[in-house]
Amino acid sequence: MGKLILSGELFKHIAASLQRALLGFSLGLAVSIPLGLLIGWFRGFERFIDPLLQTFRQTSAMALFPVFILLFGIGEISKLAIIFWSVQWPILLSTISGVKNVDPLLIKAARSMGASPLTLFHKVVLPASLPSIFTGIRLSATYSILILIAAEMMGAKSGLGYLIFDSEIRFEIGEMYAAIVTMSLVGLAINYTLVALEKRFTAWKA
């Protein structure tokens, strides 16, 4: 690990992996949170779309990787697509659950004070759903790193997954373990960053 740090190679691979993971993760957030809020708020829409969601979420991301390669090639887009597919389901399901499990007394109290549907959603439902949403976000962040490592082992020229696979091929076992440890440390850093953000946005819980 010291050799990789001094040469700067380790930081190059970390930057490549983080860039892919953050892009795929951000796309998943941008789609899953609004969709989850919509599905959780409108029960009729949930009954209509739930069978399709349950079917899609049972499909393994790694099983779809050959399909993404067929559609998008072996470059960056296929890797972003597989990360996006993996991360969206925990966020989506946690968001739906968070909206559906808001305390009914809070909603009744807000309505009794004349809150409009938009105010009710913005001031009551969304804040009360945040703890559940953040649980999904933390799970998805973990999935984004795990799936990325697997994706980088196939058809990548940079990233921690590539470094692990390339080190194994070259029998550089020390480099391989350095990459594995680095991957774990990156995952820990992301997790604790999200925990800090959750505490900040849900300070009202205390």
Side-chain angles (χ1 to χ4, degrees):
M1 185 178 286
K3 183 181 74 173
L4 290 172
I5 290 172
L6 290 174
S7 67
E9 185 179 357
L10 187 62
F11 299 111
K12 180 189 74 173
H13 291 298
I14 291 174
S17 291
L18 283 178
Q19 183 180 16
R20 295 184 184 115
L22 288 174
L23 279 173
F25 184 65
S26 299
L27 286 172
L29 284 179
V31 172
S32 299
I33 291 179
L35 184 59
L37 294 172
L38 184 67
I39 295 172
W41 188 247
F42 296 102
R43 301 298 174 91
F45 184 45
E46 182 195 9
R47 287 193 294 270
F48 172 75
I49 203 172
D50 186 66
L52 185 64
L53 293 179
Q54 296 302 327
T55 301
F56 282 162
R57 83 181 188 91
Q58 301 301 328
T59 307
S60 167
M62 294 311 298
L64 287 174
F65 195 46
V67 178
F68 290 136
I69 291 177
L70 182 66
L71 293 175
F72 305 117
I74 204 167
E76 294 299 313
I77 297 179
S78 60
K79 294 175 180 59
L80 293 178
I82 195 172
I83 295 170
F84 168 76
W85 182 270
S86 302
V87 305
Q88 65 177 320
W89 304 114
I91 304 172
L92 180 63
L93 296 176
S94 295
T95 303
I96 294 172
S97 176
V99 174
K100 289 172 64 177
N101 291 318
V102 174
D103 189 346
L105 291 177
L106 295 176
I107 296 176
K108 290 178 181 177
R111 283 176 174 163
S112 69
M113 290 185 283
S116 66
L118 184 60
T119 301
L120 176 66
F121 185 81
H122 178 253
K123 295 291 186 180
V124 178
V125 175
L126 185 58
S129 305
L130 277 180
S132 181
I133 293 172
F134 266 102
T135 299
I137 290 174
R138 289 173 62 191
L139 286 171
S140 292
T142 301
Y143 289 160
S144 70
I145 296 294
L146 296 177
I147 293 296
L148 171 68
I149 296 302
E152 286 179 341
M153 289 182 177
M154 296 177 280
K157 293 184 178 180
S158 62
L160 291 173
Y162 165 78
L163 181 59
I164 293 171
F165 183 70
D166 184 61
S167 301
E168 178 191 359
I169 295 298
R170 293 185 290 108
F171 292 98
E172 292 286 351
I173 306 304
E175 288 188 9
M176 183 187 74
Y177 280 117
I180 292 171
V181 171
T182 302
M183 179 191 69
S184 300
L185 294 175
V186 169
L188 278 174
I190 291 173
N191 179 69
Y192 284 116
T193 300
L194 291 173
V195 169
L197 286 174
E198 180 181 1
K199 288 180 179 179
R200 179 171 182 178
F201 283 107
T202 59
W204 52 268
K205 286 171 61 179

